[in-house]
Amino acid sequence: QVQLVESGGGSVQAGGSLRISCAASGFTYDSYCMAWFRQTPEKEREAVAVIGPGGRVEYVGDSVKGRFTISRDNKQRTLDLQMNNLVPEDSALYSCARDRLQFWQRGWCLQTAPDYDYWGHGTQVTVSS
């Protein structure tokens, strides 16, 4: 069965860095777009970054552009998010997600939550000022 398991969250002071990871299993990993989303109780879930099956970055949210980097390792079946220069507004539950379609079925990646069908439980990131 499809499983996505995040790790690496934690607490950090503003200006610091964190790297979170997602381990994928149960599907043909290198056939799918993958994404990081984040959510807080006050805000709707938003896409942070999206990456294509070959490693091309397809989307980076405006609020994290220049600070966050998404990457993947298809051999290790992992998805990473390097977060630098963190600010308190980055505090959220970060989840990795798999596109509901294989890349060949659509030809591009999307960045809205309904387009993703499998989700990890999330890892909490807390940034203090």
Side-chain angles (χ1 to χ4, degrees), residues 11-62:
S11 298
V12 65
Q13 288 197 325
S17 297
L18 275 177
R19 187 178 186 91
I20 57 177
S21 294
C22 172
S25 61
F27 63 101
T28 310
Y29 183 67
D30 59 4
S31 294
Y32 289 85
C33 301
M34 297 293 295
W36 284 103
F37 286 80
R38 67 185 183 184
Q39 188 170 23
T40 68
E42 297 79 25
K43 285 185 177 181
E44 285 190 8
R45 180 179 281 166
E46 66 170 344
V48 176
V50 178
I51 192 166
R56 174 178 172 173
V57 178
E58 298 285 340
Y59 171 81
V60 179
D62 287 341

